Amino acid sequence: MIINSIKSKIILALCPLIGLLLLQSYLFNYSQTTLLNLQKSQHNALIQSEAVNHLENDIISLQGHAVSFIDNANENTITKFNFYLNKANLNLKQLKTNTLHHPLEYKNSLIRLGEYLSNYQDTFGQVVVNRQKREHLYTTQFKQPIDDLQVTISNLEESSSDSNKVIFNDVLLTISNLQHAIISYLYKPNFDEAQKVKQNLNHLHKKLTSTSVINESLSNKTTSLKQAYNQLVLLTRSYTFSVNVVLTGIENELLYLTNEIKNIEKNKLTETEEQLSNHLTKNTEQANIFAVLIMLIILFLSYCSQHES
């Protein structure tokens, strides 16, 4: 009877042991699947976080080359602008591929960011075209007519009497001042520079019409220059509006949206890492509990076996 009793205890002890082992096997498989999913989520979060960091750097580089073009326009600056624009669009595309577990607000932010990038490209293109128009206007309606007028006055000065040379030299000085004022206004388009051009134009017109030694027909040159100046002012207003208002406004929105997306991705990465850490901690605790229970059952079986013998 005692032997049968001990055997019954052993069988009863083996049943929960087998049950524990089966439960441990099930929980282990479930844990591994969960762990794999969390690792994938962490990997995606890292990729997204890296993509948004690259996107932020690309946008800052875009702004830098836009400013560089405004200060010193050249083809290399345009090429670099387009390079960083393409990089920004690629990183934005990468962000859009992993939006399944993100809220609608996040997806809308990405859409808006894409729209602002497109607007930034269009506006920068307008700035480039507008600058080319301004430079073309300067070359054809300022530089060439002024150069021609300067040559004409210089020829008159050479053939004039000593008493008239002072008058012609004064006109040549005014022409030189006008040339510098126009170039300065071309590359520093602000109100003060515009006023300098206007003042020098008026001064030149007065010089050409206030003396009889200069042919009155030359005063028509200043009339044409004033018309060209008015066109340049209109182009410049459009140019400065695109630069100071539109481009700056888009830049602020781009940085705001990028920072917003960056914070979301940062929080997502932190959340995923915490979930992974909690899962590993939970697995360790479960393993310790199973180890203790199994050890207790084994000790019980060992105790029963000793009494049986």
Side-chain angles (χ1 to χ4, degrees):
M1 291 293 293
I2 294 174
I3 294 173
N4 289 335
S5 175
I6 293 173
K7 286 183 177 179
S8 297
K9 290 179 179 179
I10 292 174
I11 292 171
L12 288 173
L14 284 173
C15 288
L17 177 61
I18 293 170
L20 280 174
L21 291 172
L22 290 173
L23 179 61
Q24 185 182 34
S25 176
Y26 168 78
L27 289 177
F28 175 79
N29 290 331
Y30 175 78
S31 175
Q32 287 300 105
T33 301
T34 305
L35 179 62
L36 181 62
N37 290 333
L38 285 173
Q39 286 177 331
K40 287 181 179 178
S41 296
Q42 184 189 37
H43 179 67
N44 287 334
L46 285 170
I47 291 175
Q48 293 293 92
S49 182
E50 184 179 358
V52 76
N53 285 333
H54 287 320
L55 178 61
E56 183 180 39
N57 292 333
D58 293 337
I59 289 174
I60 292 172
S61 296
L62 271 179
Q63 294 176 351
H65 285 95
V67 172
S68 178
F69 177 82
I70 293 165
D71 293 337
N72 184 24
N74 57 67
E75 287 297 324
N76 185 49
T77 305
I78 298 174
T79 301
K80 287 183 177 179
F81 177 90
N82 290 328
F83 171 75
Y84 285 107
L85 180 68
N86 290 333
K87 279 190 65 181
N89 281 318
L90 286 174
N91 284 312
L92 179 60
K93 185 178 179 181
Q94 171 62 46
L95 289 171
K96 287 181 177 180
T97 59
N98 289 299
T99 59
L100 182 62
H101 301 293
H102 284 289
L104 182 62
E105 181 183 355
Y106 175 85
K107 298 175 184 177
N108 289 336
S109 293
L110 291 180
I111 293 172
R112 286 171 58 202
L113 186 59
E115 291 173 348
Y116 277 114
L117 274 176
S118 179
N119 290 338
Y120 196 69
Q121 180 183 18
D122 293 341
T123 305
F124 181 74
Q126 292 173 4
V127 169
V128 172
V129 171
N130 201 311
R131 185 178 183 114
Q132 290 171 345
K133 287 181 178 179
R134 293 175 71 244
E135 290 177 345
H136 178 72
L137 179 65
Y138 162 74
T139 302
T140 57
Q141 298 189 46
F142 277 104
K143 186 179 184 304
Q144 191 59 52
I146 290 175
D147 288 345
D148 293 342
L149 179 60
Q150 194 170 35
V151 170
T152 302
I153 299 298
S154 295
N155 291 334
L156 290 172
E157 188 268 340
E158 289 177 3
S159 61
S160 68
S161 62
D162 291 339
S163 59
N164 290 331
K165 284 183 183 295
V166 176
I167 297 173
F168 289 117
N169 285 330
D170 193 22
V171 173
L172 288 172
L173 178 60
T174 305
I175 292 173
S176 178
N177 291 337
L178 177 61
Q179 285 176 317
H180 287 97
I182 293 171
I183 293 173
S184 182
Y185 179 55
L186 186 66
Y187 298 109
K188 295 179 182 179
N190 57 60
F191 178 79
D192 290 338
E193 299 299 334
Q195 288 299 107
K196 288 179 183 178
V197 176
K198 186 176 181 180
Q199 288 169 5
N200 278 288
L201 272 173
N202 290 334
H203 192 45
L204 178 60
H205 182 75
K206 185 177 179 181
K207 291 285 184 183
L208 293 176
T209 56
S210 63
T211 177
S212 59
V213 298
I214 298 177
N215 193 318
E216 191 175 339
S217 63
L218 290 178
S219 63
N220 294 330
K221 298 279 187 180
T222 56
T223 303
S224 299
L225 288 172
K226 286 181 178 180
Q227 291 173 349
Y229 166 75
N230 291 333
Q231 293 178 40
L232 183 61
V233 168
L234 290 175
L235 282 174
T236 301
R237 285 176 182 171
S238 174
Y239 176 79
T240 53
F241 179 80
S242 296
V243 170
N244 298 331
V245 180
V246 183
L247 272 185
T248 302
I250 296 175
E251 287 168 0
N252 291 337
E253 285 298 323
L254 284 172
L255 287 176
Y256 170 77
L257 287 172
T258 304
N259 188 60
E260 190 177 70
I261 293 167
K262 185 179 180 180
N263 289 334
I264 292 173
E265 290 297 346
K266 183 180 179 180
N267 293 336
K268 183 71 176 177
L269 179 59
T270 302
E271 180 185 348
T272 305
E273 288 175 341
E274 287 178 354
Q275 287 177 346
L276 183 59
S277 177
N278 292 336
H279 179 75
L280 293 173
T281 302
K282 184 179 178 182
N283 281 355
T284 302
E285 292 173 350
Q286 284 181 348
N288 291 335
I289 292 172
F290 275 110
V292 170
L293 291 174
I294 290 171
M295 184 63 68
L296 289 174
I297 293 173
I298 291 173
L299 289 173
F300 178 76
L301 289 174
S302 176
Y303 172 80
C304 292
S305 297
Q306 288 176 1
H307 279 71
E308 185 179 7
S309 59

